[in-house]
Amino acid sequence: MGDVLAGIHATWELESDALVIRFDRGIRTPKLLHALRERRVPLEALASVTLTPGKRGTVVLHAVPRPGADPLMEAAAGQLKEGSDPYRLVLPAEREPLAERHRDELRALLAAHAGAAGAAGYEAYAPGDGVVGGVAPADRFLVAPPTGPQSFKAYDGKATFDGTSEVAFRWSWTGASTEKWKAGDQVFSVRDLCGVEWRSPDGVDGYLRLVPRGGGPRAERPDEDPSCVVFGRYGPVHESLAFAAAVLAAIRGKDRAPVPVPVAAGGGGERRDPGAVAERIRHLGELHQAGLVTDAEFSAKKAELLAEL
């Protein structure tokens, strides 16, 4: 084990090939850091490390992540508040000499590690798209994403991810638009997605949108797009961002080749779970009774769902 530096809300430990960041579990720790608990950042996932003056008698060590190396930071897309940035370590100003020593140690590790961005002989890049400090974006994620099933409640529905292959949106009676109710609850295969758009719920227009492969038309407004959940006063950062990062990592990890759909004898398509189909028909019936779909729309959609059995 390497040197340990304890700061406000987090502790850094330097290892020969990684920076291990452990977050405090105290009530004043930002919720995102509290939820992350611990992160192991390989040296090749870092572009540089800086030390700058902070607020109210503090200094800040900042391990600058390499572009494209961390799914959490890729999903956040620069929207995190400083206090929730997992790569910042805040210390009292009187500990600046100790912080300088750790900065220099980490810089030395980056320079000596063969795979790190600061290594001797590592190819430097001129400023351009995605380049930070002469370091090109990583071609794959190097930092582990949040693991296991993920879920959170948004304003217009609940989003769930099984952790590997499927994302589902279940609409809320009180928040979902007519367009989303007509479309019905949504289930997305990770293999059919190419990205995730996350807009922080700290703003007034927060949402999480799944981007399908192949493009195609989609509603301009997030509240009318069935591939999107809007946050409103729901969808806190520590839940929705972890969700977005986990889905994004799963998307990048999938084989991009098309997957053939099994066809049953007689030419029938892939069969759906009867329970899931029955649930969708029940929702459709409720929409019909509420006057949100016409008789013709109800009959056509019901026939379509029954055909999936």
Side-chain angles (χ1 to χ4, degrees), residues 196-249:
V196 180
E197 295 176 6
W198 181 80
R199 296 294 178 269
S200 175
D202 286 339
V204 295
D205 299 318
Y207 64 84
L208 182 145
R209 190 197 308 263
L210 303 176
V211 183
R213 294 173 64 185
R218 65 182 184 182
E220 181 176 346
R221 291 177 46 174
D223 63 330
E224 296 177 354
D225 185 352
S227 65
C228 181
V229 289
V230 297
F231 297 143
R233 61 184 181 275
Y234 298 100
V237 169
H238 69 285
E239 293 180 352
S240 61
L241 180 56
F243 185 102
V247 174
L248 184 58

CSV table of all heavy atoms in Angstrom, one decimal, residues 196-249:
chain,number,residue,atom,x,y,z
A,196,VAL,N,-26.1,8.0,-24.0
A,196,VAL,CA,-27.0,8.5,-23.0
A,196,VAL,C,-26.7,10.0,-22.9
A,196,VAL,O,-25.6,10.4,-22.8
A,196,VAL,CB,-26.7,7.8,-21.6
A,196,VAL,CG1,-27.6,8.4,-20.6
A,196,VAL,CG2,-26.9,6.3,-21.7
A,197,GLU,N,-27.8,10.8,-22.8
A,197,GLU,CA,-27.7,12.2,-22.6
A,197,GLU,C,-28.3,12.4,-21.2
A,197,GLU,O,-29.4,12.1,-20.8
A,197,GLU,CB,-28.5,13.0,-23.6
A,197,GLU,CG,-28.0,12.9,-25.0
A,197,GLU,CD,-29.0,13.6,-26.0
A,197,GLU,OE1,-29.9,14.3,-25.5
A,197,GLU,OE2,-28.7,13.6,-27.2
A,198,TRP,N,-27.4,13.1,-20.3
A,198,TRP,CA,-27.8,13.4,-18.9
A,198,TRP,C,-27.8,14.9,-18.7
A,198,TRP,O,-26.7,15.5,-19.0
A,198,TRP,CB,-26.9,12.7,-17.9
A,198,TRP,CG,-27.3,12.9,-16.5
A,198,TRP,CD1,-28.3,12.3,-15.8
A,198,TRP,CD2,-26.6,13.8,-15.6
A,198,TRP,NE1,-28.2,12.7,-14.5
A,198,TRP,CE2,-27.2,13.7,-14.3
A,198,TRP,CE3,-25.5,14.7,-15.7
A,198,TRP,CZ2,-26.8,14.4,-13.2
A,198,TRP,CZ3,-25.1,15.4,-14.6
A,198,TRP,CH2,-25.8,15.2,-13.4
A,199,ARG,N,-28.9,15.5,-18.3
A,199,ARG,CA,-28.9,16.9,-18.0
A,199,ARG,C,-29.2,17.0,-16.5
A,199,ARG,O,-30.3,16.5,-16.1
A,199,ARG,CB,-29.9,17.7,-18.8
A,199,ARG,CG,-29.6,17.7,-20.3
A,199,ARG,CD,-28.3,18.5,-20.6
A,199,ARG,NE,-28.0,18.5,-22.0
A,199,ARG,CZ,-27.2,17.6,-22.6
A,199,ARG,NH1,-26.7,16.6,-21.8
A,199,ARG,NH2,-27.0,17.6,-23.9
A,200,SER,N,-28.3,17.6,-15.7
A,200,SER,CA,-28.4,17.6,-14.3
A,200,SER,C,-29.8,18.0,-13.7
A,200,SER,O,-30.3,19.0,-14.2
A,200,SER,CB,-27.3,18.4,-13.7
A,200,SER,OG,-27.5,18.5,-12.3
A,201,PRO,N,-30.3,17.3,-12.7
A,201,PRO,CA,-31.5,17.8,-12.1
A,201,PRO,C,-31.3,19.0,-11.2
A,201,PRO,O,-32.3,19.6,-10.7
A,201,PRO,CB,-32.0,16.5,-11.2
A,201,PRO,CG,-30.7,15.8,-11.0
A,201,PRO,CD,-29.9,16.0,-12.3
A,202,ASP,N,-30.1,19.4,-11.1
A,202,ASP,CA,-29.9,20.7,-10.4
A,202,ASP,C,-30.4,21.9,-11.2
A,202,ASP,O,-30.5,23.0,-10.7
A,202,ASP,CB,-28.4,20.9,-10.1
A,202,ASP,CG,-27.9,20.0,-9.0
A,202,ASP,OD1,-28.7,19.6,-8.2
A,202,ASP,OD2,-26.7,19.7,-8.9
A,203,GLY,N,-30.6,21.7,-12.5
A,203,GLY,CA,-31.1,22.7,-13.4
A,203,GLY,C,-32.6,22.6,-13.5
A,203,GLY,O,-33.2,21.6,-13.0
A,204,VAL,N,-33.2,23.5,-14.3
A,204,VAL,CA,-34.7,23.5,-14.4
A,204,VAL,C,-35.1,22.5,-15.5
A,204,VAL,O,-36.3,22.2,-15.6
A,204,VAL,CB,-35.2,24.9,-14.7
A,204,VAL,CG1,-34.9,25.8,-13.6
A,204,VAL,CG2,-34.5,25.5,-16.0
A,205,ASP,N,-34.2,22.1,-16.4
A,205,ASP,CA,-34.6,21.3,-17.6
A,205,ASP,C,-33.9,19.9,-17.5
A,205,ASP,O,-33.4,19.4,-18.6
A,205,ASP,CB,-34.2,22.0,-18.9
A,205,ASP,CG,-35.0,23.3,-19.0
A,205,ASP,OD1,-36.2,23.3,-18.7
A,205,ASP,OD2,-34.4,24.3,-19.5
A,206,GLY,N,-33.7,19.4,-16.3
A,206,GLY,CA,-33.0,18.1,-16.2
A,206,GLY,C,-33.7,16.9,-16.8
A,206,GLY,O,-35.0,16.8,-16.8
A,207,TYR,N,-33.0,16.0,-17.5
A,207,TYR,CA,-33.6,14.8,-18.0
A,207,TYR,C,-32.5,13.8,-18.3
A,207,TYR,O,-31.3,14.1,-18.3
A,207,TYR,CB,-34.3,15.1,-19.3
A,207,TYR,CG,-33.5,15.6,-20.5
A,207,TYR,CD1,-32.8,14.7,-21.3
A,207,TYR,CD2,-33.3,17.0,-20.7
A,207,TYR,CE1,-32.0,15.2,-22.3
A,207,TYR,CE2,-32.6,17.4,-21.8
A,207,TYR,CZ,-31.9,16.5,-22.6
A,207,TYR,OH,-31.1,17.0,-23.6
A,208,LEU,N,-32.9,12.5,-18.5
A,208,LEU,CA,-32.0,11.5,-19.0
A,208,LEU,C,-32.7,10.9,-20.2
A,208,LEU,O,-33.8,10.5,-20.2
A,208,LEU,CB,-31.9,10.4,-17.9
A,208,LEU,CG,-30.9,9.2,-18.3
A,208,LEU,CD1,-30.1,8.8,-17.1
A,208,LEU,CD2,-31.7,8.1,-18.9
A,209,ARG,N,-31.9,10.9,-21.3
A,209,ARG,CA,-32.4,10.4,-22.6
A,209,ARG,C,-31.5,9.3,-23.1
A,209,ARG,O,-30.3,9.5,-23.1
A,209,ARG,CB,-32.5,11.6,-23.6
A,209,ARG,CG,-33.2,11.2,-24.9
A,209,ARG,CD,-32.9,12.2,-26.1
A,209,ARG,NE,-33.1,13.6,-25.7
A,209,ARG,CZ,-34.2,14.3,-26.0
A,209,ARG,NH1,-35.2,13.8,-26.6
A,209,ARG,NH2,-34.2,15.6,-25.7
A,210,LEU,N,-32.1,8.2,-23.6
A,210,LEU,CA,-31.4,7.2,-24.2
A,210,LEU,C,-31.3,7.4,-25.7
A,210,LEU,O,-32.3,7.8,-26.3
A,210,LEU,CB,-32.1,5.8,-24.0
A,210,LEU,CG,-32.3,5.5,-22.5
A,210,LEU,CD1,-33.1,4.2,-22.4
A,210,LEU,CD2,-30.9,5.3,-21.8
A,211,VAL,N,-30.1,7.3,-26.3
A,211,VAL,CA,-29.9,7.6,-27.7
A,211,VAL,C,-29.9,6.2,-28.5
A,211,VAL,O,-29.0,5.4,-28.3
A,211,VAL,CB,-28.7,8.4,-28.0
A,211,VAL,CG1,-28.5,8.7,-29.4
A,211,VAL,CG2,-28.6,9.6,-27.1
A,212,PRO,N,-30.9,6.0,-29.4
A,212,PRO,CA,-30.9,4.7,-30.1
A,212,PRO,C,-29.8,4.7,-31.2
A,212,PRO,O,-29.5,5.7,-31.8
A,212,PRO,CB,-32.3,4.7,-30.7
A,212,PRO,CG,-32.7,6.1,-30.8
A,212,PRO,CD,-32.0,6.8,-29.7
A,213,ARG,N,-29.4,3.5,-31.6
A,213,ARG,CA,-28.5,3.4,-32.7
A,213,ARG,C,-29.2,3.7,-34.0
A,213,ARG,O,-30.4,3.4,-34.1
A,213,ARG,CB,-28.0,1.9,-32.8
A,213,ARG,CG,-27.1,1.5,-31.6
A,213,ARG,CD,-26.7,0.1,-31.7
A,213,ARG,NE,-26.0,-0.3,-32.8
A,213,ARG,CZ,-25.6,-1.5,-33.1
A,213,ARG,NH1,-26.0,-2.5,-32.4
A,213,ARG,NH2,-24.9,-1.8,-34.2
A,214,GLY,N,-28.5,4.2,-35.0
A,214,GLY,CA,-29.2,4.5,-36.2
A,214,GLY,C,-29.9,5.8,-36.3
A,214,GLY,O,-30.4,6.1,-37.4
A,215,GLY,N,-30.0,6.6,-35.2
A,215,GLY,CA,-30.7,7.8,-35.3
A,215,GLY,C,-32.2,7.7,-35.5
A,215,GLY,O,-32.8,6.9,-34.8
A,216,GLY,N,-32.7,8.4,-36.4
A,216,GLY,CA,-34.2,8.4,-36.6
A,216,GLY,C,-34.9,9.5,-35.9
A,216,GLY,O,-34.3,10.2,-35.1
A,217,PRO,N,-36.1,9.8,-36.3
A,217,PRO,CA,-36.8,10.9,-35.7
A,217,PRO,C,-37.1,10.7,-34.3
A,217,PRO,O,-37.4,9.6,-33.8
A,217,PRO,CB,-38.1,11.0,-36.6
A,217,PRO,CG,-38.3,9.6,-37.1
A,217,PRO,CD,-36.9,9.1,-37.3
A,218,ARG,N,-37.1,11.8,-33.5
A,218,ARG,CA,-37.5,11.7,-32.1
A,218,ARG,C,-38.1,13.1,-31.7
A,218,ARG,O,-37.8,14.1,-32.3
A,218,ARG,CB,-36.3,11.4,-31.2
A,218,ARG,CG,-35.2,12.4,-31.2
A,218,ARG,CD,-34.1,11.9,-30.3
A,218,ARG,NE,-33.1,12.9,-30.1
A,218,ARG,CZ,-31.9,12.8,-29.4
A,218,ARG,NH1,-31.7,11.6,-28.8
A,218,ARG,NH2,-31.1,13.7,-29.3
A,219,ALA,N,-38.9,13.0,-30.6
A,219,ALA,CA,-39.6,14.2,-30.2
A,219,ALA,C,-38.5,15.2,-29.7
A,219,ALA,O,-37.6,14.9,-29.1
A,219,ALA,CB,-40.5,13.9,-29.0
A,220,GLU,N,-38.8,16.5,-30.1
A,220,GLU,CA,-37.8,17.5,-29.7
A,220,GLU,C,-37.9,17.8,-28.2
A,220,GLU,O,-36.9,18.0,-27.5
A,220,GLU,CB,-38.1,18.8,-30.4
A,220,GLU,CG,-37.2,20.0,-30.1
A,220,GLU,CD,-37.4,21.2,-31.0
A,220,GLU,OE1,-38.2,21.1,-32.0
A,220,GLU,OE2,-36.9,22.3,-30.6
A,221,ARG,N,-39.1,17.8,-27.6
A,221,ARG,CA,-39.3,18.1,-26.2
A,221,ARG,C,-39.1,16.8,-25.4
A,221,ARG,O,-39.7,15.7,-25.7
A,221,ARG,CB,-40.6,18.6,-25.9
A,221,ARG,CG,-40.8,20.0,-26.5
A,221,ARG,CD,-42.2,20.5,-26.3
A,221,ARG,NE,-42.7,20.3,-24.9
A,221,ARG,CZ,-43.9,20.7,-24.5
A,221,ARG,NH1,-44.7,21.4,-25.3
A,221,ARG,NH2,-44.3,20.4,-23.2
A,222,PRO,N,-38.2,16.8,-24.3
A,222,PRO,CA,-38.0,15.6,-23.5
A,222,PRO,C,-39.3,15.0,-22.9
A,222,PRO,O,-39.4,13.8,-22.7
A,222,PRO,CB,-37.0,16.1,-22.4
A,222,PRO,CG,-36.3,17.2,-23.1
A,222,PRO,CD,-37.3,17.9,-23.9
A,223,ASP,N,-40.2,15.9,-22.5
A,223,ASP,CA,-41.4,15.4,-21.9
A,223,ASP,C,-42.3,14.7,-22.8
A,223,ASP,O,-43.3,14.0,-22.4
A,223,ASP,CB,-42.2,16.5,-21.2
A,223,ASP,CG,-42.7,17.6,-22.1
A,223,ASP,OD1,-42.0,17.8,-23.2
A,223,ASP,OD2,-43.7,18.2,-21.9
A,224,GLU,N,-42.1,14.7,-24.1
A,224,GLU,CA,-42.9,14.0,-25.1
A,224,GLU,C,-42.1,12.8,-25.8
A,224,GLU,O,-42.6,12.1,-26.6
A,224,GLU,CB,-43.3,15.0,-26.2
A,224,GLU,CG,-44.2,16.1,-25.7
A,224,GLU,CD,-44.6,17.1,-26.8
A,224,GLU,OE1,-44.0,16.9,-28.0
A,224,GLU,OE2,-45.4,18.0,-26.6
A,225,ASP,N,-40.9,12.6,-25.3
A,225,ASP,CA,-40.0,11.6,-25.9
A,225,ASP,C,-40.0,10.3,-25.1
A,225,ASP,O,-39.6,10.3,-23.9
A,225,ASP,CB,-38.6,12.1,-26.0
A,225,ASP,CG,-37.6,11.2,-26.8
A,225,ASP,OD1,-38.1,10.0,-27.1
A,225,ASP,OD2,-36.5,11.6,-27.0
A,226,PRO,N,-40.6,9.2,-25.6
A,226,PRO,CA,-40.6,8.0,-24.8
A,226,PRO,C,-39.3,7.4,-24.5
A,226,PRO,O,-39.2,6.5,-23.6
A,226,PRO,CB,-41.4,7.0,-25.7
A,226,PRO,CG,-42.2,7.9,-26.6
A,226,PRO,CD,-41.3,9.1,-26.9
A,227,SER,N,-38.2,7.9,-25.1
A,227,SER,CA,-36.9,7.4,-24.7
A,227,SER,C,-36.2,8.3,-23.7
A,227,SER,O,-35.0,8.2,-23.5
A,227,SER,CB,-36.0,7.3,-26.0
A,227,SER,OG,-35.7,8.6,-26.5
A,228,CYS,N,-37.0,9.1,-23.0
A,228,CYS,CA,-36.5,10.1,-22.1
A,228,CYS,C,-37.3,10.2,-20.8
A,228,CYS,O,-38.6,10.1,-20.9
A,228,CYS,CB,-36.4,11.4,-22.8
A,228,CYS,SG,-35.8,12.8,-21.9
A,229,VAL,N,-36.7,10.3,-19.7
A,229,VAL,CA,-37.4,10.7,-18.4
A,229,VAL,C,-37.0,12.1,-18.0
A,229,VAL,O,-35.8,12.4,-18.1
A,229,VAL,CB,-37.2,9.6,-17.3
A,229,VAL,CG1,-37.8,8.3,-17.6
A,229,VAL,CG2,-35.7,9.4,-17.0
A,230,VAL,N,-37.9,12.9,-17.6
A,230,VAL,CA,-37.6,14.2,-17.1
A,230,VAL,C,-37.6,14.2,-15.6
A,230,VAL,O,-38.3,13.5,-14.9
A,230,VAL,CB,-38.6,15.3,-17.7
A,230,VAL,CG1,-38.5,15.3,-19.2
A,230,VAL,CG2,-40.0,15.0,-17.2
A,231,PHE,N,-36.7,15.1,-15.0
A,231,PHE,CA,-36.5,15.0,-13.6
A,231,PHE,C,-37.5,15.9,-12.8
A,231,PHE,O,-38.0,15.5,-11.8
A,231,PHE,CB,-35.0,15.5,-13.3
A,231,PHE,CG,-34.0,14.5,-13.8
A,231,PHE,CD1,-32.8,15.0,-14.3
A,231,PHE,CD2,-34.2,13.2,-13.9
A,231,PHE,CE1,-31.8,14.2,-14.8
A,231,PHE,CE2,-33.3,12.3,-14.4
A,231,PHE,CZ,-32.1,12.8,-14.9
A,232,GLY,N,-37.7,17.1,-13.2
A,232,GLY,CA,-38.5,18.0,-12.4
A,232,GLY,C,-37.8,18.1,-11.0
A,232,GLY,O,-36.6,18.4,-10.9
A,233,ARG,N,-38.6,17.9,-10.0
A,233,ARG,CA,-38.0,18.0,-8.6
A,233,ARG,C,-37.5,16.6,-8.2
A,233,ARG,O,-37.1,16.4,-7.0
A,233,ARG,CB,-39.0,18.5,-7.6
A,233,ARG,CG,-40.3,17.7,-7.5
A,233,ARG,CD,-41.3,18.4,-6.6
A,233,ARG,NE,-42.5,17.6,-6.4
A,233,ARG,CZ,-43.5,17.6,-7.2
A,233,ARG,NH1,-43.5,18.4,-8.3
A,233,ARG,NH2,-44.6,16.9,-7.0
A,234,TYR,N,-37.5,15.6,-9.1
A,234,TYR,CA,-37.1,14.2,-8.7
A,234,TYR,C,-35.7,14.0,-9.5
A,234,TYR,O,-35.2,14.8,-10.1
A,234,TYR,CB,-38.1,13.2,-9.2
A,234,TYR,CG,-39.4,13.4,-8.4
A,234,TYR,CD1,-40.5,14.0,-9.1
A,234,TYR,CD2,-39.6,12.9,-7.2
A,234,TYR,CE1,-41.7,14.1,-8.4
A,234,TYR,CE2,-40.8,13.0,-6.5
A,234,TYR,CZ,-41.9,13.7,-7.1
A,234,TYR,OH,-43.1,13.8,-6.5
A,235,GLY,N,-35.2,12.7,-9.3
A,235,GLY,CA,-34.0,12.3,-10.0
A,235,GLY,C,-32.8,13.0,-9.5
A,235,GLY,O,-32.0,13.6,-10.2
A,236,PRO,N,-32.5,12.8,-8.2
A,236,PRO,CA,-31.3,13.5,-7.6
A,236,PRO,C,-30.0,13.0,-8.3
A,236,PRO,O,-29.9,11.9,-8.9
A,236,PRO,CB,-31.3,13.0,-6.1
A,236,PRO,CG,-32.2,11.8,-6.1
A,236,PRO,CD,-33.2,12.0,-7.2
A,237,VAL,N,-29.0,13.9,-8.3
A,237,VAL,CA,-27.8,13.7,-9.0
A,237,VAL,C,-27.1,12.4,-8.7
A,237,VAL,O,-26.7,11.6,-9.6
A,237,VAL,CB,-26.8,14.9,-8.7
A,237,VAL,CG1,-25.4,14.5,-9.3
A,237,VAL,CG2,-27.3,16.2,-9.4
A,238,HIS,N,-27.0,12.0,-7.4
A,238,HIS,CA,-26.3,10.8,-7.0
A,238,HIS,C,-27.0,9.5,-7.5
A,238,HIS,O,-26.3,8.5,-7.7
A,238,HIS,CB,-26.1,10.8,-5.5
A,238,HIS,CG,-27.3,10.5,-4.7
A,238,HIS,ND1,-28.3,11.5,-4.5
A,238,HIS,CD2,-27.8,9.4,-4.1
A,238,HIS,CE1,-29.3,11.0,-3.8
A,238,HIS,NE2,-29.0,9.7,-3.5
A,239,GLU,N,-28.3,9.6,-7.8
A,239,GLU,CA,-28.9,8.4,-8.4
A,239,GLU,C,-29.0,8.4,-9.9
A,239,GLU,O,-28.6,7.4,-10.5
A,239,GLU,CB,-30.4,8.3,-7.8
A,239,GLU,CG,-30.4,8.0,-6.3
A,239,GLU,CD,-31.9,8.0,-5.8
A,239,GLU,OE1,-32.8,8.3,-6.6
A,239,GLU,OE2,-32.1,7.6,-4.7
A,240,SER,N,-29.4,9.5,-10.5
A,240,SER,CA,-29.5,9.6,-11.9
A,240,SER,C,-28.2,9.5,-12.7
A,240,SER,O,-28.1,9.0,-13.7
A,240,SER,CB,-30.4,10.8,-12.3
A,240,SER,OG,-29.7,12.0,-12.0
A,241,LEU,N,-27.2,10.2,-12.1
A,241,LEU,CA,-25.9,10.2,-12.7
A,241,LEU,C,-25.2,8.8,-12.7
A,241,LEU,O,-24.6,8.3,-13.7
A,241,LEU,CB,-24.9,11.2,-12.1
A,241,LEU,CG,-23.5,11.3,-12.7
A,241,LEU,CD1,-23.6,11.5,-14.2
A,241,LEU,CD2,-22.7,12.4,-12.1
A,242,ALA,N,-25.3,8.1,-11.5
A,242,ALA,CA,-24.8,6.8,-11.4
A,242,ALA,C,-25.5,5.9,-12.4
A,242,ALA,O,-24.9,5.0,-13.1
A,242,ALA,CB,-25.0,6.2,-10.0
A,243,PHE,N,-26.8,6.0,-12.6
A,243,PHE,CA,-27.6,5.3,-13.6
A,243,PHE,C,-27.1,5.5,-15.0
A,243,PHE,O,-26.8,4.6,-15.7
A,243,PHE,CB,-29.1,5.7,-13.4
A,243,PHE,CG,-30.0,5.0,-14.3
A,243,PHE,CD1,-30.8,4.0,-13.7
A,243,PHE,CD2,-30.2,5.2,-15.6
A,243,PHE,CE1,-31.7,3.3,-14.5
A,243,PHE,CE2,-31.1,4.5,-16.4
A,243,PHE,CZ,-31.9,3.5,-15.9
A,244,ALA,N,-26.9,6.8,-15.3
A,244,ALA,CA,-26.4,7.2,-16.7
A,244,ALA,C,-25.1,6.6,-16.9
A,244,ALA,O,-24.8,6.1,-18.0
A,244,ALA,CB,-26.4,8.7,-16.8
A,245,ALA,N,-24.2,6.6,-15.9
A,245,ALA,CA,-22.8,6.1,-16.1
A,245,ALA,C,-22.8,4.6,-16.3
A,245,ALA,O,-22.1,4.1,-17.1
A,245,ALA,CB,-21.9,6.5,-14.9
A,246,ALA,N,-23.6,3.9,-15.5
A,246,ALA,CA,-23.7,2.4,-15.7
A,246,ALA,C,-24.2,2.0,-17.0
A,246,ALA,O,-23.7,1.1,-17.6
A,246,ALA,CB,-24.6,1.9,-14.5
A,247,VAL,N,-25.3,2.7,-17.5
A,247,VAL,CA,-25.8,2.4,-18.8
A,247,VAL,C,-24.8,2.7,-19.9
A,247,VAL,O,-24.6,1.9,-20.8
A,247,VAL,CB,-27.2,3.1,-19.0
A,247,VAL,CG1,-27.7,2.9,-20.5
A,247,VAL,CG2,-28.2,2.7,-18.0
A,248,LEU,N,-24.2,3.8,-19.8
A,248,LEU,CA,-23.2,4.2,-20.8
A,248,LEU,C,-22.0,3.2,-20.9
A,248,LEU,O,-21.6,2.8,-22.0
A,248,LEU,CB,-22.6,5.6,-20.5
A,248,LEU,CG,-21.7,6.2,-21.5
A,248,LEU,CD1,-22.3,6.3,-22.9
A,248,LEU,CD2,-21.2,7.6,-21.0
A,249,ALA,N,-21.6,2.7,-19.7
A,249,ALA,CA,-20.5,1.7,-19.7
A,249,ALA,C,-21.0,0.4,-20.3
A,249,ALA,O,-20.2,-0.2,-21.1
A,249,ALA,CB,-20.0,1.5,-18.3
